[in-house]
Amino acid sequence: MYLLQTGPPDHRQRALAAVLYAAEPGSDPLSGDTAALTGGAALALLGIREATYTPADVLIRAPRRLAGAPEVRPFPTARWPRTITVCGIPSTRPVRAAADFAARTDQPADQIRSVLARVVQSGWCHPHDLHTELRASRLLTRPAIRAAAAELLAGVRSVAEAQARDTLSATDLPTPLWNARLHTPDGTFLASPDAYWPDEGVALEIDSAEYHYTRDSWHATLRRRLRLESHGILVVSATPSMIRDTPDEVIAALRTFLTLATTRPTPPTALARGHQQLLLPL
């Protein structure tokens, strides 16, 4: 196997080399029948930048065994998945790749949270399907993975939201909806705040500087807040660092707004269509 270029191979080329290495001799290496990219390497091809993609995890069919290499980790499996082609490389579907990443990574809990949340947030799989895959892989016995799955079922879609959920869960404040879709009475989409208390008409927006580098991004955030406020919704804005470093200030602001909401003469004119607080079966 040769690379006809100057300079080091890129991620796609490394991933392709890993699959070619792991495919069964005599088979079509790109068929997805004997070798399939999975884990962080597969997720990285889909644009999940939080996923670590080296060494590349490649599934092979059990009971076949194959020695690993510095940049390739072959994993025999008796539960062969449906495969797809990503950038010309046979790969597991995102839901299986996410579960395999969680199973094999040595990253800290927040990194696992971040990757699983990004897979769902990017639309690559539904949280219920991810939960089913994690259960089939017997991963829900691991506290960090079980917690991440519970957060996703509740509607949480980022580490910052997960930290906010942890903070709110330790208080006596009512439980909000996470990433509920709010609509006007005529059905027009309004916004999707990070956390929303429908009975009180209070929203929590967690605004990361990462997404406000440009003037257009900042204006879009302000316009979203104006839309919420124009329909009677009280908005508390905070950054992830505020949630992490000064949670008492955020909680105090939320408590004040939730109390004020009960005395307002006019209720908010918005309807929530959001995630329910679902149970998490084993």
Side-chain angles (χ1 to χ4, degrees), residues 111-140:
Q111 181 74 0
I112 296 174
R113 273 173 147 180
S114 180
V115 170
L116 297 184
R118 184 65 66 183
V119 172
V120 172
Q121 187 182 50
S122 300
W124 291 117
C125 69
H126 191 278
H128 288 173
D129 294 332
L130 180 57
H131 174 264
T132 298
E133 185 64 41
L134 293 171
R135 181 173 55 189
S137 300
R138 296 183 174 87
L139 293 173
L140 294 180

Side-chain angles (χ1 to χ4, degrees), residues 163-175:
Q163 291 171 341
R165 183 171 181 260
D166 289 345
T167 298
L168 292 172
S169 297
T171 73
D172 59 351
L173 296 181
T175 301

Side-chain angles (χ1 to χ4, degrees), residues 26-276:
S27 69
D28 177 357
L30 300 183
S31 67
D33 291 333
T34 65
L37 195 70
T38 192
L43 295 177
L45 285 180
L46 297 173
I48 308 299
R49 63 185 180 183
E50 293 86 354
T52 51
Y53 56 81
T54 185
D57 291 332
V58 183
L59 294 183
I60 59 176
R61 289 185 183 271
R64 179 172 171 250
R65 298 286 174 176
L66 181 67
E71 294 198 9
V72 185
R73 292 192 300 187
F75 285 98
T77 179
R79 198 167 61 91
W80 194 255
R82 289 169 51 194
T83 60
I84 59 176
T85 300
V86 181
C87 301
I89 301 171
S91 306
T92 61
R93 293 183 302 151
V95 66
R96 176 64 179 269
D100 286 342
F101 171 83
R104 299 181 175 97
T105 185
D106 57 0
Q107 298 295 312
D110 275 356
Q111 181 74 0
I112 296 174
R113 273 173 147 180
S114 180
V115 170
L116 297 184
R118 184 65 66 183
V119 172
V120 172
Q121 187 182 50
S122 300
W124 291 117
C125 69
H126 191 278
H128 288 173
D129 294 332
L130 180 57
H131 174 264
T132 298
E133 185 64 41
L134 293 171
R135 181 173 55 189
S137 300
R138 296 183 174 87
L139 293 173
L140 294 180
T141 56
R142 301 186 188 182
I145 297 175
R146 179 176 169 81
E151 291 161 357
L152 291 170
L153 284 182
V156 171
R157 295 294 179 266
S158 70
V159 170
E161 291 175 12
Q163 291 171 341
R165 183 171 181 260
D166 289 345
T167 298
L168 292 172
S169 297
T171 73
D172 59 351
L173 296 181
T175 301
L177 297 176
W178 293 93
N179 291 289
R181 294 178 61 82
L182 305 187
H183 294 76
T184 61
D186 65 4
T188 302
F189 175 70
L190 185 59
S192 183
D194 297 307
Y196 183 64
W197 287 262
D199 293 339
E200 294 83 2
V202 173
L204 170 64
E205 288 277 64
I206 306 171
D207 298 322
S208 172
E210 178 182 0
Y211 299 103
H212 294 144
Y213 282 143
T214 68
R215 180 182 179 186
D216 288 345
S217 297
W218 180 239
H219 282 183
T221 297
L222 293 179
R223 285 195 296 270
R224 184 175 70 250
R225 177 164 182 161
L226 285 175
R227 286 197 303 272
L228 291 169
E229 292 176 336
S230 68
H231 285 80
I233 296 170
L234 302 176
V235 181
V236 173
S237 294
T239 65
S241 62
M242 292 176 183
I243 299 291
R244 182 183 63 248
D245 300 332
T246 56
D248 290 346
E249 295 179 2
V250 179
I251 294 301
L254 285 170
R255 192 180 301 280
T256 297
F257 274 24
L258 290 169
T259 301
L260 287 174
T262 62
T263 62
R264 286 190 294 172
T266 304
T269 56
L271 303 175
R273 301 172 186 172
H275 299 274
Q276 301 297 317

